[in-house]
Amino acid sequence: RFQVETTTSTGTNGETLTEENIKVVESKDNNDLLPAIGFLLHISERVPKLIKPAFSIGVSTDAERVSYFLGPSIIFGRSQRFVFSLGAVWRQVDRVSDEFEPGKSINIAAANLPSEVPLRNPAPFRTGFFVGFTFNLTGNSNGAALSRITRQ
C-alpha cells in the first residue's frame, strides 16, 4: 500500500509550498500457515523393516497457487504405514516491482499514483519449510477397510 505524507509551509514571498513524500509501506500479512490439499509421493527401498528412510516429493494447491515439496521422510510400519516428512517447499509469491520497494521514497505526484502497488510479473518463487504426517491408505491390511468406505 502507499503512504502519502504531505507537508505544507509558507515560502519567503508568502506563497504556500506543499511537499509530498510518498513511500510504499509493506503490509503485515502473517499467514505462516496455509491450508492446502495435495499429495506426497514417498520413495523408499522395499525392505521388510519397521522403520526405514525415504524420500518425498509432492505438490499441493490452495485454489490460488501451486506449491512444490521435496525432502526426506521416515516410514514407520509395514502394511499400515505412518510417514513423517520434512523439507523444503517452493511457492510463487506476490512481490512488488523493483521501483516500488517497501520503504523507498517515490518521485510521483500523489494524484498520479496507481490504485494498487504494481507487482512483479511473473511472481517469483520463495522457499519455505514444511512438516508432514501421512498415513498409507492402500496397504495390504487396509484394502478391506477401503472397500467398506467406498461401498457406503
Side-chain angles (χ1 to χ4, degrees), residues 39-40 42 56 73 81-85 132-137:
F39 71 89
L40 283 173
H42 307 291
S56 296
S73 297
R81 290 178 222 132
F82 291 94
V83 184
F84 175 75
S85 306
F133 186 71
T134 56
F135 175 69
N136 182 22
L137 290 174

Side-chain angles (χ1 to χ4, degrees), residues 108-131:
I108 301 175
N112 297 332
L113 282 176
S115 60
E116 292 186 10
V117 178
L119 301 175
R120 291 182 190 169
N121 192 6
F125 277 86
R126 187 166 181 195
T127 304
F129 178 76
F130 83 94
V131 174

